[in-house]
Amino acid sequence: MSDSTTSSTPTPEDKRAELRRAALEYHELPVPGKIAIAATKQMVNQRDLSLAYSPGVAAPCEEIVRDPANAFKYTARGNLVAVITNGTAVLGLGDIGPLAAKPVMEGKGVLFKKFAGVDVFDIEIDEKDPAKLVEVIAALEPTFGAINLEDIKAPDCFYVERELRKRMKIPVFHDDQHGTAITVAAAMLNGLKVAGKDISEVKLVTSGAGAAALACLNLLLKVGLKRENVFVTDLAGVVYEGREELMDDDKRQYMQKTTARTLAEVIEGADVFLGLSAGGVLKPAMVARMAAKPVIFALANPNPEIAPEDAHAVRGDVIMATGRTDYPNQVNNVLCFPYIFRGALDSGATTITDEMEIAAVRAIADLAQAEQSERVAAAYVGEKLSFGPEYLIPKPFDPRLMMKIAPAVAKAAEESGVASRPIKDMDAYRDRLQSFVYASGTTMKPIFDAAKRAQKKRVAYCEGEEERVLRAAQIVVDEGIARPTLIGRPAIIAQRIEKFGLRLKEELDYDIVNVEQDHRYRDFWQTYHRMTERKGQTVQTAKIEMRRRLTLIGAMLLHKDEVDGMICGTWGTTLIHLHYIDQVIGKRPGGCESTPQDVPVYACMNGLLLPDRQVFLVDTHVNYDPSPEELAEITTMAAEEMMRFGLKPKAALLSHSNFGTSNEPSAIKMRKTLDLLRVQAPWLEVDGEMHGDVALDSKQRAVVMPHSALAGDANLLVFPNIDAANISYNLLKTAAGGNIAIGPVLLGAAKPVHILTASATVRRIVNMTALTVADANAER
């Protein structure tokens, strides 16, 4: 015991100091800054050098002289944006100058790359004269596909953007104005929808009349707000007719005939408050005098015009948004600017039109009203993610933003006549965007196409109460991939569907197997007992197992043809689930082109999408030390499965030995496997035994083994044992694959069934559902 106490709770000052320390460390290590330039072409020999520079570079130069549009074909211009500032209005820091603004511009470049795959050069210009700034930026046009103006003070930013748009034939977008405006407009439309109010009838009061505030008002007018219902306030009070103090042409368009001179006076009866000014200017007493169900956007950073808790204290019906991450409804520009530029660049837009901005507004607003994805739920654990007062706009990490906004913007560019390279096939464009968002998109496309055309679509999900499964089931239903059968407790499933904001309805969208009381229970346990009574299973244990083993229930559904396929494995190990699958479903007899040498065997194949290649690995989860006969069968099954993905398999039998350099048992095993494959699967392009680097580098292989039967880089890697396969898979997945994988694909089962892993994401569950449906409809 001590006679004095000290508190270990960190103070706000402690938290700020720690954040500052961490931020400085983040920017300094392991290398200074947040961005770098990476080459997109190899330069490993003299020939590469001659192609990249002199004399080869003359060829694209000449083509661009012939037709300037060829710059988008032969250079990076079509995916390159300039993020430009003069540092006169940086975040909440003010006029800190261009050099100090560089970390912010680098950060903007990271967001462009992360969210939309857009490359950025950040450019900090030491020039405060707006006219001179225009001259500098306009001269940069040949380098870039678009210009993003950032952190330029008002009213200079209005002039700079207007003049650049007149002179330049590429999009010019001041994100502080238009990015903020688009996000605000989307959130505002949804906030008014929640409040049950018509935008054409509401009274709106602003605090702040800078670039962002006026841009927000301009865009809100374009989506239905009436100018006569807008009242603007700034440091000098209400913007009224006849006022001269702190006025400019952009502000004068919002002058009102009114006797009100202060925010406190003009706020009376207002439906909406839009704050882009300073912390604390909206007082609780003012909120109390607003109309019913007031919509308050307090967007000043770091301190909002009124804290949400203070607003809620005086008005229980208030609908709030801020610019902060620690409150619901954060208005964040990252929701729109990467995807607006993505759509503008891809369509060859020569400018950003009103129609393109409005298309982005509608896309964001609509997306907030859809149920949330698993990636969003994982990133925002504990937050309410269903459309309503605390969820007016999507979260920045919602992967659907790209696929909603970019196509909408590209389409609007074409319709408004500014697309120099209109997108001809919008469905193909969406597929390409999806392949960026979900790296598995391109590989899985043939499987999804087959699943959507399929007749057999009933898929059982053994862990039917699991959140990831339910979110996947919603996508599966929406995309018409399958009809889910969920195994679990009906009340719990319904409760969780509501909790996660999903739209699934029992009987309409999915079927259910009630693990507590189901009419099929007696038939199922009796069938299971007959199957296993000579394997030690008694009547009593059969009853118990059938009541509690979810995978066993799913396998029996599949055995009885009550479903067409089955998915399990979001918890536990592969072998736990495979035990019941083997008892009820069993192995299929040999390969598709069965020969006496074929050995029935299970195996798991995983696909990885690495930065520059796709590879599939077997056997990652089942066979500890497979024989040559088993490996031959596993390789054949894996190759056949790859062809269903639309990929031509090129198999490498991996070993510590490289074409006979060792005679250890594992090397001999891989040689025997090759001999068997040449007889059993003469159609397969395969070679071995070989090192992993030789498998993935055809040039190196040509040196080591010039007469190899394998041409090009291998894309199917066959390992001698489970240790090598599983370790390689997990290392590659984590270190190079961004934890993006396809599978595990269970090979060798007599019916369509797949065992996931505990790390499976919703997207992977959806992918495996499509594969299961395709399996069910494939001819065996």
Side-chain angles (χ1 to χ4, degrees):
M1 297 284 293
S2 172
D3 58 3
S4 65
T5 60
T6 59
S7 173
S8 61
T9 303
T11 65
E13 290 76 16
D14 293 335
K15 292 180 180 178
R16 284 194 290 270
E18 169 56 24
L19 177 63
R20 180 179 178 82
R21 184 202 63 76
L24 291 174
E25 184 178 273
Y26 175 87
H27 282 77
E28 180 183 5
L29 302 172
V31 295
K34 298 189 288 284
I35 59 175
I37 295 175
T40 60
K41 305 292 191 299
Q42 282 192 337
M43 192 179 294
V44 297
N45 53 40
Q46 183 62 39
R47 176 170 173 77
D48 290 344
L49 181 60
S50 68
L51 294 174
Y53 201 55
S54 180
V57 75
C61 293
E62 290 166 350
E63 289 299 306
I64 294 169
V65 170
R66 185 177 61 81
D67 181 359
N70 281 330
F72 295 102
K73 183 177 181 180
Y74 296 116
T75 76
R77 188 185 184 213
N79 195 50
L80 187 60
V81 169
V83 173
I84 299 179
T85 189
N86 65 355
T88 52
V90 180
L91 295 176
L93 302 174
D95 186 355
I96 62 174
L99 183 60
K102 187 172 178 62
V104 180
M105 302 308 113
E106 285 189 0
K108 196 66 176 282
V110 172
L111 296 178
F112 267 109
K113 189 68 174 179
K114 166 69 177 178
F115 290 103
V118 173
D119 294 321
V120 162
F121 288 166
D122 64 289
I123 299 177
E124 294 76 32
I125 300 174
D126 189 8
E127 180 56 71
K128 290 187 176 182
D129 184 319
K132 291 181 180 179
L133 188 60
V134 168
E135 293 295 329
V136 172
I137 297 172
L140 298 172
E141 181 170 350
T143 304
F144 298 101
I147 303 291
N148 182 90
L149 301 175
E150 193 80 14
D151 294 348
I152 300 171
K153 70 175 183 178
D156 294 356
C157 57
F158 298 117
Y159 169 82
V160 170
E161 185 190 52
R162 276 196 296 263
E163 291 303 308
L164 289 174
R165 286 192 171 192
K166 291 177 186 176
R167 295 176 57 169
M168 303 182 81
K169 296 180 181 179
I170 57 175
V172 178
F173 188 83
H174 186 214
D175 190 44
D176 297 323
Q177 295 180 55
H178 305 292
T180 300
I182 288 166
T183 311
V184 165
M188 187 69 71
L189 290 175
N190 282 348
L192 292 173
K193 183 172 184 177
V194 170
K197 298 185 178 184
D198 187 332
I199 191 171
S200 66
E201 298 176 357
V202 298
K203 175 184 177 181
L204 183 147
V205 174
T206 78
S207 174
L214 294 179
C216 289
L217 293 177
N218 292 341
L219 187 54
L220 287 170
L221 293 180
K222 294 166 187 172
V223 296
L225 183 66
K226 300 296 185 184
R227 188 183 299 273
E228 58 267 26
N229 295 337
V230 176
F231 295 80
V232 175
T233 71
D234 61 8
L235 289 173
V238 176
V239 175
Y240 61 89
E241 281 194 2
R243 198 186 101 173
E244 295 298 330
E245 184 182 3
L246 295 178
M247 294 295 288
D248 56 58
D249 290 341
D250 294 290
K251 201 182 296 184
R252 284 191 178 89
Q253 62 180 316
Y254 289 103
M255 294 188 302
Q256 284 277 20
K257 290 182 179 180
T258 177
T259 58
R261 294 295 182 263
T262 67
L263 176 61
E265 294 171 354
V266 81
I267 199 73
E268 183 76 37
D271 299 283
V272 178
F273 171 82
L274 174 59
L276 286 147
S277 55
V281 300
L282 184 65
K283 308 301 181 184
M286 300 180 191
V287 175
R289 300 205 309 276
M290 294 180 70
K293 295 184 179 180
V295 176
I296 296 177
F297 282 22
L299 305 181
N301 265 321
N303 299 313
E305 284 79 2
I306 186 169
E309 55 268 27
D310 293 337
H312 286 293
V314 294
R315 293 293 296 267
D317 59 346
V318 69
I319 298 168
M320 283 284 303
T322 71
R324 291 176 48 149
T325 59
D326 52 346
Y327 291 113
N329 298 324
Q330 184 200 17
V331 175
N332 193 327
N333 290 10
V334 78
L335 287 175
C336 66
F337 74 79
Y339 317 112
I340 289 172
F341 276 91
R342 181 76 278 157
L345 289 168
D346 293 341
S347 62
T350 56
T351 188
I352 303 290
T353 64
D354 291 346
E355 292 83 359
M356 293 162 72
E357 292 185 10
I358 293 170
V361 170
R362 301 293 184 191
I364 295 170
D366 291 346
L367 185 55
Q369 298 178 46
E371 76 284 343
Q372 286 311 311
S373 70
E374 166 246 8
R375 187 179 300 185
V376 179
Y380 301 94
V381 175
E383 293 193 36
K384 186 175 179 61
L385 299 178
S386 298
F387 179 66
E390 295 188 349
Y391 195 81
L392 301 178
I393 48 176
K395 295 292 186 180
F397 282 94
D398 193 325
R400 299 169 298 177
L401 286 162
M402 169 84 95
M403 291 176 286
K404 292 289 185 181
I405 300 173
V409 169
K411 183 179 180 182
E414 180 179 1
E415 292 175 347
S416 54
V418 298
S420 63
R421 299 186 303 279
I423 294 170
K424 297 178 181 178
D425 187 338
M426 194 60 72
D427 289 337
Y429 178 56
R430 290 190 181 94
D431 287 343
R432 180 160 64 86
L433 294 176
Q434 176 162 308
S435 71
F436 172 81
V437 177
Y438 300 119
S440 57
T442 299
T443 304
M444 288 299 302
K445 190 174 188 307
I447 302 299
F448 274 92
D449 289 345
K452 291 178 180 180
R453 294 193 303 266
Q455 299 301 311
K456 298 179 181 178
K457 294 196 174 208
R458 301 167 302 169
V459 175
Y461 296 88
C462 295
E463 296 93 36
E465 298 177 4
E466 160 70 41
E467 177 180 355
R468 289 169 292 168
V469 168
L470 292 173
R471 292 188 182 279
Q474 182 69 72
I475 297 172
V476 163
V477 169
D478 286 347
E479 296 189 8
I481 297 168
R483 180 176 177 86
T485 294
L486 303 177
I487 300 174
R489 296 165 291 177
I492 299 300
I493 290 173
Q495 180 186 40
R496 292 183 177 179
I497 286 172
E498 182 178 2
K499 175 183 176 182
F500 304 142
L502 306 177
R503 295 170 282 104
L504 293 169
K505 301 294 183 184
E506 186 179 347
E507 295 186 355
L508 177 64
D509 298 317
Y510 68 91
D511 302 311
I512 201 160
V513 175
N514 185 349
V515 296
E516 296 177 323
Q517 184 67 44
D518 193 279
H519 68 277
R520 292 162 286 198
Y521 171 66
R522 181 181 180 85
D523 177 41
F524 281 13
W525 76 254
Q526 287 180 340
T527 302
Y528 179 54
H529 178 251
R530 287 193 298 270
M531 289 177 162
T532 58
E533 61 184 338
R534 292 187 178 273
K535 298 178 183 178
Q537 199 76 258
T538 66
V539 168
Q540 191 60 36
T541 57
K543 288 181 178 181
I544 293 171
E545 291 286 84
M546 190 55 70
R547 180 73 72 188
R548 66 178 182 168
R549 301 296 185 187
L550 302 178
T551 300
L552 178 57
I553 296 170
M556 192 58 69
L557 285 169
L558 186 55
H559 173 71
K560 294 283 187 178
D561 291 326
E562 297 209 15
V563 295
D564 304 306
M566 171 190 132
I567 290 177
C568 61
T570 56
W571 58 264
T573 66
T574 299
L575 293 181
I576 287 175
H577 299 279
L578 189 58
H579 171 71
Y580 297 104
I581 292 167
D582 187 48
Q583 285 184 322
V584 178
I585 304 300
K587 302 182 184 74
R588 70 176 187 175
C592 290
E593 298 179 7
S594 185
T595 71
Q597 288 78 24
D598 288 334
V599 177
V601 63
Y602 296 114
C604 277
M605 177 179 75
N606 281 85
L608 288 176
L609 293 109
L610 305 178
D612 62 344
R613 69 183 73 233
Q614 301 174 75
V615 294
F616 287 79
L617 300 85
V618 290
D619 168 29
T620 52
H621 289 84
V622 178
N623 298 284
Y624 177 71
D625 188 15
S627 68
E629 291 76 16
E630 289 172 327
L631 277 174
E633 178 65 8
I634 289 168
T635 303
T636 302
M637 290 191 298
E640 291 168 348
E641 195 70 22
M642 283 182 63
M643 289 190 289
R644 296 182 53 228
F645 286 94
L647 301 172
K648 180 182 180 181
K650 294 175 177 288
L653 307 179
L654 300 186
S655 173
H656 73 282
S657 174
N658 207 27
F659 298 107
T661 58
S662 170
N663 286 313
E664 294 297 329
S666 63
I668 294 172
K669 176 169 69 172
M670 302 311 280
R671 282 177 223 154
K672 289 182 178 179
T673 301
L674 179 62
D675 291 339
L676 290 169
L677 284 168
R678 283 174 172 166
V679 174
Q680 293 174 229
W683 51 269
L684 177 62
E685 191 174 324
V686 58
D687 208 345
E689 81 286 8
M690 69 179 75
H691 289 173
D693 56 348
V694 171
L696 298 178
D697 186 345
S698 59
K699 292 181 180 179
Q700 186 178 351
R701 190 184 328 120
V703 174
V704 175
M705 180 54 61
H707 300 106
S708 174
L710 184 62
D713 298 345
N715 57 11
L716 174 57
L717 307 181
V718 183
F719 293 84
N721 57 55
I722 199 171
D723 283 335
N726 192 272
I727 291 169
S728 298
Y729 164 66
N730 283 300
L731 286 174
L732 284 171
K733 181 182 71 169
T734 304
N739 286 311
I740 300 170
I742 298 171
V745 178
L746 182 62
L747 307 171
K751 289 195 173 187
V753 54
H754 294 290
I755 306 171
L756 302 169
T757 60
S759 63
T761 62
V762 167
R763 176 49 53 175
R764 201 184 306 177
I765 297 172
V766 173
N767 285 346
M768 295 310 295
T769 301
L771 185 60
T772 303
V773 172
D775 283 340
N777 286 270
E779 294 184 4
R780 292 289 184 184

